[in-house]
Amino acid sequence: MKLTTAILLYQPDTKGLALGGAAFASIHDVHEHDTGPMIAAGAPLTRAHLRQWAKALDKAAVPEILPANVLVAHPDLLVWWVPAQVRLAYFALSRPPKGLKALTERTSMPVPYPAHLFVASRKGFGVYALPASERPTAETQLLHSPVLNVYLTGLLCWGNIPRPKLLTIASIAEYERAIFESWSTHPNLGQEATVTGKGGLVKLWDDLAATKAQRFPVKRLKPFDPSGRPRKVPVTLGSLIAERAQA
């Protein structure tokens, strides 16, 4: 590969391109000189140029066979789901509340998880629970994930967890390890109130661990809302993907 072409983008003198704002682009040959590459005079970028370069760039992408649980696979967005199941969980609560039965000290034990939806993008890693252990559709309403260390916005608080460097199908295992194989240390601000019933989220996990439950009580999870307040319009898989695609 060598540098052959440059595309220059022009816009009004603002901090960012406003939605629907004016823009102009020109395409230029690049010539090699002893002092380095030099951009030659250009011409307006046309749709024919865009189609030509989009086709060439597509050829550089390696085709991947999508696993059955992958919902969206895009260079900037990866969405998949996992069914409900019992997993080995790791708890090391920094401030365990009084009255806990099983999670008073650093421990690992099997607990049930609800079905989950994961959304990995350049902006962060979103974690959400699903109302049923089945492949979701665009109309599926999302729930707050009970996994600790998750913000009300649904994004994971990474802390010292290693971050995957790539956004590919092969990175899915790394993202899942970040959720299911890291130590749960605390609920994030407001996260205790994302479940119904007495005791909050930590008490719920403690009850599940102490009773060796085999199924997570999904009905106790509240509908996902990043503001922490009830919404008139629920957040669905379709609306979330549309939002992430524009981010």
Side-chain angles (χ1 to χ4, degrees):
M1 293 283 184
K2 69 175 184 177
L3 182 60
T4 63
T5 308
I7 294 176
L8 303 184
L9 304 177
Y10 301 82
Q11 67 181 79
D13 188 14
T14 59
K15 292 183 179 180
L17 181 61
L19 184 62
F24 176 78
S26 58
I27 187 167
H28 306 251
D29 289 333
V30 176
H31 303 301
E32 287 290 342
H33 294 272
D34 292 340
T35 56
M38 180 175 293
I39 298 176
L45 184 71
T46 65
R47 295 194 178 193
H49 290 134
L50 290 174
R51 287 193 293 269
Q52 173 189 352
W53 281 100
K55 186 176 180 180
L57 290 171
D58 280 343
K59 291 181 179 179
V62 179
E64 293 183 278
I65 297 177
L66 300 182
N69 66 324
V70 173
L71 304 169
V72 177
H74 183 273
D76 296 319
L77 187 66
L78 186 62
V79 183
W80 72 100
W81 76 285
V82 295
Q85 57 187 290
V86 174
R87 299 173 179 269
L88 185 65
Y90 304 84
F91 294 96
L93 298 177
S94 54
R95 294 181 180 179
K98 295 181 179 179
L100 296 185
K101 304 171 185 176
L103 306 182
T104 56
E105 298 180 354
R106 183 184 180 97
T107 185
S108 59
M109 57 182 59
V111 293
Y113 284 86
H116 265 78
L117 176 83
F118 299 120
V119 179
S121 70
R122 308 296 178 189
K123 299 293 184 179
F125 181 37
V127 185
Y128 315 89
L130 295 171
S133 187
E134 59 188 27
R135 183 182 177 91
T137 68
E139 291 73 35
T140 299
Q141 183 175 343
L142 304 183
L143 308 174
H144 279 285
S145 169
V147 174
L148 300 185
N149 306 345
V150 173
Y151 293 108
L152 281 181
T153 58
L155 296 180
L156 174 67
C157 175
W158 286 94
N160 61 357
I161 303 172
R163 297 187 183 223
K165 296 181 179 179
L166 300 176
L167 196 61
T168 63
I169 300 298
S171 302
I172 286 179
E174 293 182 71
Y175 282 106
E176 291 188 12
R177 281 196 292 270
I179 291 294
F180 299 121
E181 297 183 19
S182 60
W183 290 94
S184 295
T185 56
H186 63 280
N188 279 356
L189 182 63
Q191 201 181 8
E192 281 280 20
T194 58
V195 296
T196 61
K198 297 181 179 180
L201 186 56
V202 170
K203 183 63 166 57
L204 173 58
W205 278 120
D206 185 65
D207 289 342
L208 295 173
T211 60
K212 299 181 180 179
Q214 296 297 301
R215 182 177 298 179
F216 190 94
V218 178
K219 291 183 178 180
R220 291 193 58 181
L221 297 176
K222 293 183 180 180
F224 173 71
D225 177 47
S227 70
R229 299 186 300 272
R231 295 170 58 101
K232 293 182 179 179
V233 180
V235 178
T236 63
L237 172 57
S239 65
L240 182 73
I241 290 177
E243 177 187 328
R244 291 292 186 269
Q246 295 176 0

